[in-house]
Amino acid sequence: METENAVNYSYMGRSFNDLSVNDDSSAFSDCNSDRSGEFPTAASQSRRLFLSCTNTENSDELIRQLVSDLDSCSIDDQKHAALELRLLAKNKPEDRIKIAKAGAIKPLISLISSADPYLQENSVTAILNLSLCDENKELIASSGAIKPLVRALMTGTPTAKENASCALLRLSQVEENKVAIGRSGAIPLLVDLLENGGFRGKKDASTALYSLCTVRENKIKAVEARIMKPLVELMADFGSNMVDKSAFVLSVLVTVPEAKTALVEEGGIPVLVEIIEVGSQRQKEIAVVILLQICEDSVVYRTMVAREGAIPPLVALSQSGTTRAKQKAEKLIALLRQPRSVNAAASSSDLSV
């Protein structure tokens, strides 16, 4: 398996790589969600039950009983147990290992395939919350969670899809799971969520894709799933609040030639130049890094970037950007200003378009 190191950008005081992939549950506040917009009444009732039960000294016995109820012949008992375990795993981090050791993971994975949307959603989210404990991730994957989570990503409620995306993100933090997740069919579904999901779904999908696409095989799958179209559209929409995350995903993709070609075909160069002109300092830095990546080995792409009027904003960035942005802007300016004779000689081996 070929894995590439992700580009490390500053984001909210930490690197984006740390924020998205290596941090614990605090970094995944969007993923560690107990919202269930489809079923508010049942959730509220169960939350009251949960609070009354966990104030006793019998939490271990409660967990054992709930795990037993997951195998009940009564779907109502199963639904109640899945929701209670979901809440325990969310609100009491110390119970995540207890729940896993009590044998909850395999029956919860089985219930992800339930035709009942309430049961499926709570089972998906219980698995997500259990995966917030690093010790549980390998057990969840080895117990066969990946394929059911991918099915939930395809058929679940909007909340189930979002939480399945987050659960797959958590499992992808175990390096050997990345290829398995990609081969399970997750990437086209995540691209669809990125394009058609709500704001939370788009954020969850972009973060999962960023993690998965550190593997070359998954980069190709993402390009084949036409990821460039939603990425370019989101980067072009400054009101989407997705410019940064979309650019982060793009930055890990453009290390492969197929992604560079797809980016250009989707009109990505004018969008990146515009970001350098009017984006935030962080956005400008990411955009110049991406443009440098696509221009380093292609005279054709250098010509396209220059014709978009990139040099004036690059000069400005080289004078007033972040330290990294200044360095990258200077290097890109030098490439774009190379004499025609140098470019002509280089273009003889440039077959990237």
Side-chain angles (χ1 to χ4, degrees), residues 308-350:
E308 284 298 327
I311 290 179
L314 284 170
V315 170
L317 184 61
S318 71
Q319 297 170 349
S320 62
T322 65
T323 301
R324 179 179 173 82
K326 289 178 181 179
Q327 293 170 347
K328 299 299 180 180
E330 288 171 358
K331 188 172 181 180
L332 182 53
I333 291 167
L335 279 176
L336 298 180
R337 285 178 168 170
Q338 279 185 350
R340 289 184 180 274
S341 58
V342 175
N343 284 338
S347 66
S348 62
S349 60
D350 181 8

Side-chain angles (χ1 to χ4, degrees), residues 37-213:
E38 289 79 6
F39 313 108
T41 302
S44 299
Q45 291 172 346
S46 187
R47 194 168 279 109
R48 288 194 294 272
L49 268 174
F50 162 75
L51 289 172
S52 65
C53 289
T54 54
N55 283 334
T56 72
E57 296 179 355
N58 299 317
S59 63
D60 291 350
E61 179 58 35
L62 170 64
I63 288 170
R64 285 192 292 270
Q65 183 59 54
L66 291 172
V67 172
S68 176
D69 287 347
L70 292 174
D71 291 319
S72 171
C73 294
S74 165
I75 192 169
D76 288 337
D77 288 347
Q78 290 178 320
K79 287 157 74 172
H80 172 265
L83 181 54
E84 292 296 326
L85 289 168
R86 165 186 179 169
L87 292 170
L88 277 167
K90 172 183 171 61
N91 293 301
K92 295 180 68 87
E94 65 272 19
D95 282 342
R96 291 170 187 158
I97 292 178
K98 290 183 182 179
I99 293 168
K101 287 183 175 179
I105 287 175
K106 285 190 175 180
L108 282 169
I109 290 170
S110 296
L111 293 175
I112 290 174
S113 301
S114 172
D116 183 282
Y118 181 91
L119 183 53
Q120 181 193 52
E121 182 180 304
N122 283 304
S123 299
V124 167
T125 312
I127 288 294
L128 164 61
N129 290 341
L130 290 171
S131 75
L132 297 174
C133 172
D134 288 341
E135 294 180 45
N136 289 338
K137 288 186 288 195
E138 289 190 22
L139 178 59
I140 290 170
S142 65
S143 297
I146 291 173
K147 289 184 178 179
L149 286 169
V150 171
R151 286 196 293 273
L153 195 57
M154 180 186 298
T155 65
T157 65
T159 300
K161 290 180 179 181
E162 291 165 355
N163 290 343
S165 173
C166 286
L168 290 168
L169 163 67
R170 295 295 302 181
L171 297 184
S172 75
Q173 294 168 18
V174 179
E175 194 66 29
E176 53 266 31
N177 289 338
K178 293 184 179 184
V179 168
I181 293 170
R183 292 178 180 176
S184 72
I187 287 176
L189 298 171
L190 289 167
V191 171
D192 181 72
L193 186 60
L194 178 69
E195 185 167 16
N196 299 309
F199 179 58
R200 179 173 176 247
K202 291 178 188 294
K203 290 200 300 180
D204 295 344
S206 67
T207 308
L209 286 162
Y210 180 83
S211 175
L212 290 167
C213 289

Side-chain angles (χ1 to χ4, degrees), residues 225-267:
R226 297 187 58 80
I227 192 174
M228 285 302 164
K229 180 177 181 292
L231 286 180
V232 171
E233 289 176 350
L234 289 167
M235 288 192 304
D237 182 4
F238 285 87
S240 70
N241 291 319
M242 285 291 298
V243 175
D244 300 62
K245 283 203 170 186
S246 299
F248 292 143
V249 177
L250 181 57
S251 72
V252 298
L253 291 173
V254 294
T255 58
V256 296
E258 295 88 343
K260 295 176 184 179
T261 301
L263 172 64
V264 173
E265 290 176 348
E266 288 294 339

